[in-house]
């Protein structure tokens, strides 16, 4: 049985670590699992990362995130059709939450605009695990490991998190308190995915 799981949260929320742990746990259960991420590892993902690092105009960044997804979704659809579990570290909700904030003042209703433009290349996830961390804590975790990108300013992340929490009223979302140890989070995520697969 296929399952499309996305991991979301602000920078420093621990998504990438969780993705790694969950992938290993699924493999330990002999479940055919693909771990993927956005921005992707393709040249489009490189272009996205470059636009973020260079602080390109928010429209440019938004269109690049969408271009990257428009190709990635083809791969995701293929994996799903092969009955695999797909664990995707960031996806459409990242665009809604981050570009929803970044495009404020540039278009009258950023969320509605993003949803409309994304509709031709959108596959709804079965489960979205939203890692929730205090933005100050997320930033502190990041500063410990690398330099910050322009998205990682406190006020910006607060607003992104607010948007994520608004999105999380949809039933596909499960909020996880990311102040807990990675092993505990991984066990919880594993339980959520396995119980969904057994349904
Ligand atoms: P990463 O740190 O998870 O690799 O993501 C790179 C940055 O890009 C991160 O600050 C979140 C941001 N981002 C968006 O703003 N919109 C998107 O659609 C995606 C996928 C990421």
């Amino acid at each position: 049985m296929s399952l499309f799981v996305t991991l979301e949260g602000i920078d420093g929320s621990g998504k990438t670590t969780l993705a790694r742990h969950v992938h290993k746990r699924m493999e330990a259960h002999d479940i055919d699992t693909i771990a993927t991420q956005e921005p992707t590892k393709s040249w489009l993902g490189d272009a996205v990362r470059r636009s973020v690092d260079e602080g390109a105009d928010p429209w440019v960044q938004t269109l690049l995130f969408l271009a990257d997804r428009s190709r990635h979704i083809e791969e995701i659809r293929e994996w799903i059709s092969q009955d695999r579990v797909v664990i995707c570290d960031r996806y459409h909700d990242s665009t809604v939450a981050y570009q929803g904030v970044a495009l404020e003042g540039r278009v009258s209703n950023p969320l509605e605009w993003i949803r409309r433009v994304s509709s031709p290349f959108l596959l709804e996830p079965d489960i979205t695990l939203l890692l929730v961390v205090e933005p100050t804590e997320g930033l502190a975790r990041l500063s410990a490991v690398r330099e910050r990108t322009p998205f990682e300013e406190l006020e910006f992340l607060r607003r992104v998190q607010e948007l994520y929490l608004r999105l999380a009223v949809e039933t596909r979302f499960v909020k996880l308190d990311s102040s807990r140890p990675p092993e505990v989070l991984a066990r919880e995520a594993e339980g959520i995915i396995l119980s969904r697969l057994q349904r």
Side-chain angles (χ1 to χ4, degrees):
M1 180 191 160
S2 69
L3 199 68
F4 181 25
V5 182
T6 58
L7 303 187
E8 295 284 357
I10 59 169
D11 301 71
S13 60
K15 285 175 301 76
T16 306
T17 308
L18 182 63
R20 206 173 48 240
H21 281 289
V22 170
H23 187 200
K24 274 198 199 138
R25 283 170 184 253
M26 291 301 115
E27 285 188 333
H29 289 288
D30 255 347
I31 297 171
D32 188 0
T33 308
I34 287 275
T36 185
Q37 71 287 306
E38 293 185 6
T40 65
K41 291 184 175 155
S42 70
W43 68 269
L44 283 162
D46 291 341
V48 170
R49 275 182 290 275
R50 180 167 168 190
S51 76
V52 171
D53 291 345
E54 293 188 3
D57 180 85
W59 279 124
V60 173
Q61 294 187 23
T62 303
L63 295 170
L64 286 171
F65 279 120
L66 294 173
D68 190 28
R69 178 157 319 115
S70 74
R71 300 296 82 217
H72 194 205
I73 194 65
E74 299 298 320
E75 290 180 294
I76 295 174
R77 284 189 207 280
E78 179 70 24
W79 293 322
I80 296 289
S81 76
Q82 294 164 350
D83 268 352
R84 303 171 93 171
V85 170
V86 178
I87 311 277
C88 189
D89 178 357
R90 291 201 184 284
Y91 179 64
H92 171 71
D93 296 309
S94 285
T95 312
V96 176
Y98 280 78
Q99 278 61 56
V101 176
L103 291 180
E104 263 174 27
R106 289 170 185 260
V107 61
S108 62
N109 185 340
L111 266 58
E112 203 267 327
W113 184 88
I114 293 162
R115 290 200 172 110
R116 192 154 30 91
V117 178
S118 302
S119 63
F121 34 85
L122 195 59
L123 179 67
E124 172 106 339
D126 297 301
I127 304 174
T128 299
L129 301 176
L130 175 62
L131 286 159
V132 183
V133 67
E134 263 304 306
T136 45
E137 169 63 20
L139 280 182
R141 288 186 193 169
L142 285 179
S143 312
V145 288
R146 60 169 165 81
E147 278 186 25
R148 293 179 186 183
T149 71
F151 279 137
E152 294 163 1
E153 296 302 331
L154 185 57
E155 200 40 44
F156 183 83
L157 287 189
R158 283 213 169 102
R159 290 165 65 207
V160 171
Q161 175 130 299
E162 268 171 34
L163 265 187
Y164 266 134
L165 292 172
R166 270 168 54 195
L167 300 178
V169 295
E170 281 183 51
T171 52
R172 70 182 156 90
F173 276 88
V174 182
K175 285 187 270 178
L176 300 178
D177 169 5
S178 132
S179 63
R180 293 166 306 153
E183 278 299 323
V184 175
L185 276 172
R187 207 175 317 124
E188 190 175 346
E190 176 188 23
I192 292 166
I193 296 170
L194 290 179
S195 71
R196 184 63 182 260
L197 284 171
Q198 280 153 13
R199 257 198 224 162

